[in-house]
């Protein structure tokens, strides 16, 4: 689908009712208000997330359940801030950096984000191949390359909005992790204590696990993705403009962004909570503390799926992977494309945005090449989460300064509560990253 660069301005009668009545919400409009935030939340539970949550559940039991309660307001705040930047300015994060900040900051952000994305891409693709090999009698590398090519072709020839709509059905398999708790013994008082009372151990293993959990939950690629998707929403919906140009739309759009983001992040964290809980209740209680293969991770679903556990696990890994790979590659392409002032949009055809799609192809291709070094799929996903955690803190600091800058945001600088929670999130990620780096040297 081609998005024209110039659109006819709508008559007032053509504007949607929700735009004219910003305070009004109803059940009928609820799902219509969900968009970039919900897709971002679904993409957050990618293969890296599934592997990381399964690993920490197996290794630490219920000991890290509290991170889901802590991370929810932090991730919701930073994602809402990114969405606001995109909607207010009509530009993604990289475009705003290019316009308002020195080029070295732009280069640092793009290099850090792209490096983390490519490694995450490689880990996700090899995990999909290794998972699919559980139910198909084929070579893992052949399956991995096939899935990488399918992901690239899907991005090139199918609008992402259409592509994601169908893949969401595969991700419903993640709710199997919720169902498992009804088939195994759960010591709910212990689970409640572990959720509400944080316990921190200052050793390398714990800090690496904490960094991985926060890194896969608060991921740099999601910052760029959600801001860019808000820009896409402005382009795609007739009558909508950047809020700096159309401040009258601010009430409705800010309400929608807040609802969309909070619901999307809640979905992500609820699923993550139950993956940890399921792994703790099945793998950890049976003495499996280290997951080194996809088959071991799939065992967590045995109580609900029996001999179909592997198939259910594969649906979750492949479904979330096929959703996440385009998001990872595209967030890098949005950043680099905006920084270079290229045309950027997943709704354009490849020949209409050659540079943008070239970056996507290079990112997926480089991720595939990483798999020829024979990395362990589960360990690679865990390390991808750690890398995301280390990279996130400096990126979040840049985003916070941008969102508080009147030159960038005009009168729509973020309110005090978002500023406070956003900087708290940045501080948490920075402290955890410094802790894991220091413990690694010790």
């Amino acid at each position: 689908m081609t998005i024209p660069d110039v659109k006819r301005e709508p008559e007032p009668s053509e504007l949607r009712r929700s735009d004219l009545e910003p305070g009004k919400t109803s059940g009928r409009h609820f799902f219509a208000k969900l968009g970039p935030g919900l897709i971002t939340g679904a993409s957050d539970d990618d293969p890296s997330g599934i592997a990381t949550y399964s690993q920490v559940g197996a290794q630490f039991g219920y000991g890290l359940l509290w991170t889901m309660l802590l991370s929810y307001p932090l991730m919701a705040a930073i994602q809402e801030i990114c969405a606001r930047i995109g909607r207010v300015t009509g530009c993604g994060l990289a475009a705003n950096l290019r316009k308002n900040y020195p080029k070295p900051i732009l280069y640092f952000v793009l290099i850090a984000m792209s490096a983390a994305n490519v490694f995450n891409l490689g880990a996700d693709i090899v995990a999909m191949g290794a998972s699919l090999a559980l139910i198909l009698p084929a070579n893992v590398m052949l399956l991995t390359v096939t899935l990488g090519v399918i992901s690239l072709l899907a991005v090139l020839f199918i609008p992402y909005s259409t592509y994601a709509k169908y893949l969401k059905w595969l991700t419903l398999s993640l709710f199997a992790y919720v169902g498992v708790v009804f088939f195994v013994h759960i010591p709910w008082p212990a689970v409640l204590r572990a959720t509400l009372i944080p316990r921190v151990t200052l050793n390398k293993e714990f800090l690496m696990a904490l960094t991985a959990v926060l890194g896969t939950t608060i991921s740099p690629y999601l910052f760029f993705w959600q801001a860019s998707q808000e820009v896409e929403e402005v382009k795609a919906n007739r009558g909508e403009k950047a809020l700096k140009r159309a401040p009258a739309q601010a009430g409705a759009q800010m309400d929608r962004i807040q609802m969309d983001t909070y619901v999307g992040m809640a979905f992500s964290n609820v699923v993550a909570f139950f993956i940890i809980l399921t792994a703790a209740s099945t793998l950890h209680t049976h003495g499996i503390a280290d997951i080194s293969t996809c088959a071991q991770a799939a065992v967590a679903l045995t109580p609900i799926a029996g001999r179909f556990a592997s198939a259910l696990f594969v649906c979750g890994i492949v479904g979330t992977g096929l959703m996440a790979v385009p998001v990872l590659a595209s967030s890098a392409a949005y950043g680099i494309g905006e920084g270079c002032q290229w045309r950027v949009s997943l709704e354009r055809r490849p020949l209409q945005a050659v540079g943008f799609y070239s970056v996507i192809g290079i990112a997926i291709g480089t991720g595939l090449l990483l798999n020829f070094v024979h990395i362990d799929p589960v360990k690679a996903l865990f390390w991808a989460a750690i890398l995301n955690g280390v990279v996130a803190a400096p990126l979040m600091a840049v985003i916070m300064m941008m969102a508080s800058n009147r030159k960038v945001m005009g009168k729509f600088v973020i309110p005090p509560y978002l500023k406070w929670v956003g900087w708290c999130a940045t501080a948490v990620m920075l402290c955890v990253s410094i802790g894991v780096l220091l413990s690694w040297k010790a």
Side-chain angles (χ1 to χ4, degrees):
M1 182 177 70
T2 303
I3 305 296
D5 293 325
V6 180
K7 305 182 184 70
R8 177 182 65 83
E9 291 298 322
E11 297 297 325
S13 60
E14 294 177 314
L15 294 175
R16 294 177 305 180
R17 187 172 180 81
S18 59
D19 291 334
L20 298 174
E21 300 179 49
K24 184 173 181 178
T25 59
S26 68
R28 191 176 68 176
H29 295 303
F30 177 76
F31 288 104
K33 288 177 177 287
L34 302 180
L38 183 61
I39 293 175
T40 300
S43 302
D44 194 28
D45 290 320
D46 65 344
S48 176
I50 295 172
T52 300
Y53 301 138
S54 298
Q55 176 61 51
V56 300
Q59 185 175 358
F60 296 98
Y62 307 123
L64 282 170
L65 284 175
W66 60 270
T67 57
M68 293 299 100
L69 201 61
L70 170 71
S71 65
Y72 175 66
L74 305 184
M75 70 185 295
I78 199 70
Q79 291 300 144
E80 182 184 350
I81 290 167
C82 293
R84 281 172 175 254
I85 291 173
R87 178 62 64 161
V88 167
T89 65
C91 302
L93 297 181
N96 279 297
L97 282 172
R98 174 178 52 79
K99 292 177 181 179
N100 299 288
Y101 293 90
K103 286 187 177 180
I105 295 179
L106 172 65
Y107 297 151
F108 165 77
V109 167
L110 292 181
I111 291 171
M113 183 267 297
S114 298
N117 282 17
V118 168
F119 187 76
N120 208 149
L121 263 170
D124 278 0
I125 294 172
V126 74
M128 288 193 291
S131 299
L132 202 55
L134 295 176
I135 59 174
L136 292 180
N139 179 270
V140 172
M141 193 55 65
L142 176 62
L143 292 173
T144 299
V145 172
T146 301
L147 287 166
V149 172
I150 289 173
S151 297
L152 178 58
L153 293 176
V155 173
L156 291 177
F157 299 110
I158 305 174
Y160 186 77
S161 54
T162 302
Y163 178 71
K165 181 170 62 176
Y166 295 106
L167 286 177
K168 285 176 187 177
W169 291 105
L170 278 178
T171 64
L172 290 177
S173 60
L174 293 177
F175 283 101
Y177 289 97
V178 181
V180 168
V181 303
F182 297 104
F183 291 83
V184 297
H185 172 69
I186 304 289
W188 289 109
V191 169
L192 187 61
R193 284 195 301 272
T195 304
L196 298 178
I197 304 173
R199 291 188 178 182
V200 178
T201 306
L202 297 179
N203 59 42
K204 181 172 70 176
E205 291 74 20
F206 182 88
L207 289 173
M208 285 176 62
L210 182 59
T211 304
V213 169
L214 294 177
T216 199
T217 305
I218 307 174
S219 299
Y221 72 92
L222 297 177
F223 308 159
F224 283 79
W225 173 258
Q226 189 154 354
S228 296
Q229 289 307 292
E230 286 293 337
V231 178
E232 295 275 25
E233 289 281 308
V234 171
K235 295 177 181 178
N237 293 314
R238 188 172 56 186
E240 293 186 4
K241 297 179 181 179
L243 298 184
K244 286 177 74 172
R245 294 177 53 206
Q249 296 179 7
Q253 293 301 336
M254 292 302 187
D255 285 348
R256 180 197 56 77
I257 285 172
Q258 190 174 65
M259 179 187 297
D260 184 25
T261 304
Y262 290 5
V263 170
M265 298 309 109
F267 168 81
S268 173
N269 269 36
V270 166
V271 170
F273 178 90
F274 279 100
I275 294 175
I276 296 175
L277 180 58
T278 296
S281 303
T282 54
L283 303 176
H284 183 77
T285 57
H286 288 88
I288 301 175
D290 184 52
I291 301 175
S292 57
T293 67
C294 291
Q296 284 179 310
V299 168
L301 294 173
T302 301
I304 193 173
R307 61 193 180 94
F308 298 107
S310 292
L312 197 57
F313 176 80
V314 169
C315 285
I317 288 286
V318 174
T320 59
L322 289 174
M323 277 190 69
V325 165
V327 174
L328 282 158
S330 301
S331 59
Y334 275 116
I336 294 172
E338 290 168 359
C340 296
Q341 295 182 269
W342 297 338
R343 287 184 173 183
V344 293
S345 176
L346 282 172
E347 300 298 319
R348 291 183 182 274
R349 295 190 179 97
L351 291 179
Q352 295 173 317
V354 175
F356 174 75
Y357 281 100
S358 296
V359 173
I360 291 177
I362 292 169
I364 293 177
T366 306
L368 275 172
L369 288 176
L370 291 177
N371 295 303
F372 288 93
V373 300
H374 303 293
I375 53 178
D376 181 296
V378 176
K379 295 299 181 187
L381 292 170
F382 189 76
W383 278 102
I386 291 176
L387 179 59
N388 277 328
V390 172
V391 168
L395 295 185
M396 290 165 70
V398 172
I399 289 167
M400 290 305 301
M401 289 188 289
M402 189 188 305
S404 303
N405 189 338
R406 289 194 176 275
K407 181 182 176 183
V408 178
M409 300 289 285
K411 68 177 184 179
F412 296 109
V413 292
I414 55 174
Y417 79 91
L418 268 184
K419 188 178 295 185
W420 189 85
V421 180
W423 278 114
C424 281
T426 306
V428 167
M429 296 301 292
L430 180 62
C431 290
V432 171
S433 299
I434 291 173
V436 76
L437 292 174
L438 291 177
S439 68
W440 188 258
K441 292 182 179 180

